[in-house]
Amino acid sequence: MPKGEKKKVVVIGVGFGGLQAIKKLSKEEDLEIIAIDKKNHHLFQPLLYQVATAVLSPADIAIPTRSLIGDKKNVTVYLGEVEKVDIQAKKVTFQGHSESYDYLILAAGAKSGYFGNDHWKKYSIGLKSLKDALSIRTKILTSFEHAELAGDPEVAKKHLNYVIIGGGPTGVELAGSIAELSHEIVRNEFHTIDPALAKITLIEASPRLLAAFAPKLSEFAKMRLEKRGVEVLTGTKVLEIDQNGVKIEGRTIASSTVIWAAGVQANSIGASLGAPTDRMGRVMVDEFCNIEGHPEVFVIGDIANYSKGLERPLPGVSPVAMQQGRYVASLIRGDLKSKKRKPFHYLDKGSMATIGRQDAVAQVGNFRLRGFFGWFVWLFIHIFYQVGFKNKISIFITWVWSYITFRAEARLIQDEVEASSVGSSTPN
């Protein structure tokens, strides 16, 4: 590369993968980096459920993108949604603006996927963004208020029915946290109703919860959730979601609050590359995280299907995205020095899910943890990987306070109540 000539890297998405790539590439003075994201913040998604259940505030798990990378001299940050990627012209178009590139890193993430039943979106809420988390929080908190004013026990009962669809880590964590909120935290704050009568139902289509975990850990999670008052339905398929609730074989579960945690769909911008995609819309990549025929285009994280030499594609979890982000940054830096590329290898650091206070499951290879020790490790790992020192301290203090007092202080309903809306509104 001629002296003084800089290569341009465009990074779409500043989530776990994109952020790791940018941090590593920013150390290379011979690179110009353009970061594009439709959100102005980096989000720590594993703790979204705690915002949804009023344990944490949004600022505890999100940090402005510019405060993370905006001060780096060779990084330019743009707020915008990418409309088109032209891999032949090596150009990205967004917000009426375009940028050419020498290298492209697509790390645009995923959204909730409904397996072809998109009409279910109208009657349920996913959990992939701060907006989703705040919508769920508002839905849960107002359900208590609606029930308090309902006057009719049957109507109140429907308001206090919560259905979570999907028995992966997100579904399990949500179910446990909603049970804790309703059965313990707000129980003495209402006088017409008893929030402890709230019914939480967790539905999973496969035979057990937490399918990626060892069967004994799955069974432990199920047992602990049931002990907290959660009805767990495994091997149960959802047939329909409508204004009345959730229909499964043999019955309908009446509910005002249905949360979708069962599936994801890759960001649609991946399809614009013209490369093959799987049924979830993830872009098929080779052993270097490239699309076929384009060594300058990298696709990583939730939007990528990396399955080279594997029985199944790598899961859409933050450790995969982070490792891929650092890997592709190393490849680009290696290209500048004419180094031979080496295939990506994922180091599985294990999986974990919290069930509630003093209860979690974790596994790394053949090593298993559950109960209090699993919960303690879960706390440490999530503090360690949180971005930003202020956020680490804020979350730690909040967790300690919540543990001591058994309170959730982020119970704020942002919207004002309109006349005659509380207690008389139609669920969903």
Side-chain angles (χ1 to χ4, degrees):
M1 183 175 66
K3 188 174 181 180
E5 182 183 332
K6 287 190 174 184
K7 294 284 188 180
K8 186 188 289 186
V9 183
V10 171
V11 182
I12 302 174
V14 191
F16 285 107
L19 180 61
Q20 291 297 315
I22 291 167
K23 282 185 171 181
K24 192 158 188 172
L25 290 171
S26 66
K27 299 175 183 178
E28 196 68 52
E29 294 181 358
D30 291 332
L31 290 175
E32 177 187 355
I33 303 155
I34 305 295
I36 308 168
D37 201 310
K38 59 183 178 182
K39 304 183 298 294
N40 84 324
H41 56 270
H42 170 79
L43 179 65
F44 192 76
Q45 282 192 331
L47 292 179
L48 262 180
Y49 83 96
Q50 291 206 356
V51 174
T53 52
V55 176
L56 297 175
S57 296
D60 290 329
I61 67 166
I63 187 167
T65 304
R66 292 186 184 278
S67 70
L68 291 171
I69 56 176
D71 62 341
K72 300 184 186 302
K73 293 182 179 180
N74 60 341
V75 179
T76 301
V77 180
Y78 290 120
L79 178 66
E81 182 175 13
V82 173
E83 302 150 20
K84 183 181 178 182
V85 177
D86 187 335
I87 59 175
Q88 305 304 327
K90 296 186 178 181
K91 186 178 293 186
V92 172
T93 303
F94 60 101
Q95 306 301 120
H97 179 78
S98 64
E99 285 285 347
S100 59
Y101 63 81
D102 294 292
Y103 292 98
L104 174 68
I105 302 175
L106 184 59
K111 57 186 178 180
S112 295
Y114 290 81
F115 308 116
N117 299 292
D118 288 348
H119 60 286
W120 291 355
K121 291 180 185 178
K122 182 178 178 181
Y123 305 105
S124 64
I125 311 173
L127 185 58
K128 296 299 291 182
S129 67
L130 278 180
K131 184 178 179 180
D132 292 338
L134 291 174
S135 294
I136 292 172
R137 187 178 75 180
T138 297
K139 192 77 170 170
I140 292 171
L141 296 179
T142 54
S143 70
F144 296 135
E145 305 296 342
H146 290 321
E148 181 83 342
L149 276 177
D152 183 335
E154 288 302 312
V155 174
K157 182 179 177 182
K158 184 174 181 179
H159 282 300
L160 295 177
N161 276 358
Y162 307 97
V163 179
I164 300 104
I165 302 169
T170 299
V172 167
E173 290 171 341
L174 271 170
S177 195
I178 294 173
E180 221 164 68
L181 177 67
S182 57
H183 296 171
E184 301 286 347
I185 295 173
V186 302
R187 184 171 188 178
N188 297 320
E189 298 181 5
F190 293 83
H191 302 296
T192 303
I193 60 165
D194 180 2
L197 297 177
K199 182 180 179 182
I200 300 97
T201 306
L202 177 61
I203 302 173
E204 168 58 37
S206 63
R208 61 186 177 93
L209 301 178
L210 303 173
F213 290 68
K216 287 186 177 180
L217 294 183
S218 297
E219 187 57 36
F220 177 83
K222 181 175 184 288
M223 177 187 68
R224 290 295 191 174
L225 284 174
E226 290 175 336
K227 187 177 180 180
R228 285 172 162 79
V230 177
E231 181 184 13
V232 180
L233 303 177
T234 55
T236 303
K237 291 185 178 181
V238 171
L239 303 178
E240 189 61 73
I241 305 174
D242 59 25
Q243 67 274 15
N244 297 315
V246 178
K247 184 179 180 181
I248 59 176
E249 188 173 349
R251 65 175 167 130
T252 296
I253 304 171
S255 177
S256 305
T257 307
V258 179
I259 303 173
W260 182 264
V264 295
Q265 188 76 17
N267 190 303
S268 58
I269 193 64
S272 71
L273 299 178
T277 58
D278 63 13
R279 62 184 182 85
M280 295 168 59
R282 296 178 299 182
V283 179
M284 308 298 293
V285 297
D286 64 16
E287 65 271 30
F288 305 111
C289 297
N290 291 130
I291 62 173
E292 187 178 356
H294 289 273
E296 78 285 355
V297 177
F298 298 94
V299 185
I300 63 175
D302 291 357
I303 197 171
N305 178 315
Y306 187 99
S307 52
K308 292 295 180 182
L310 305 174
E311 292 182 5
R312 59 180 64 88
L314 291 176
V317 293
S318 55
V320 172
M322 293 170 72
Q323 289 183 40
Q324 288 181 330
R326 292 190 290 267
Y327 166 77
V328 298
S330 295
L331 286 194
I332 292 171
R333 295 177 73 184
D335 281 357
L336 300 180
K337 300 175 177 64
S338 300
K339 290 185 177 180
K340 185 179 179 180
R341 291 185 174 188
K342 295 181 180 179
F344 173 69
H345 292 290
Y346 174 57
L347 175 59
D348 188 355
K349 297 182 179 180
S351 304
M352 56 182 58
T354 182
I355 303 155
R357 172 183 289 238
Q358 299 187 18
D359 256 338
V361 291
Q363 69 176 40
V364 181
N366 294 322
F367 186 64
R368 312 277 191 264
L369 281 175
R370 63 183 191 180
F372 176 80
F373 291 109
W375 179 71
F376 185 79
V377 171
W378 181 92
L379 292 176
F380 174 79
I381 292 296
H382 282 71
I383 289 288
F384 180 81
Y385 281 106
Q386 176 60 248
V387 177
F389 180 75
K390 171 189 169 293
N391 291 49
K392 293 176 190 285
I393 297 300
S394 176
I395 290 173
F396 177 74
I397 292 173
T398 300
W399 281 350
V400 170
W401 177 253
S402 297
Y403 184 81
I404 294 171
T405 64
F406 226 124
R407 297 178 67 87
E409 302 293 3
R411 288 181 286 122
L412 303 178
I413 300 173
Q414 293 176 303
D415 299 328
E416 294 183 358
V417 176
E418 297 179 359
S420 302
S421 64
V422 177
S424 61
S425 66
T426 301
N428 281 335

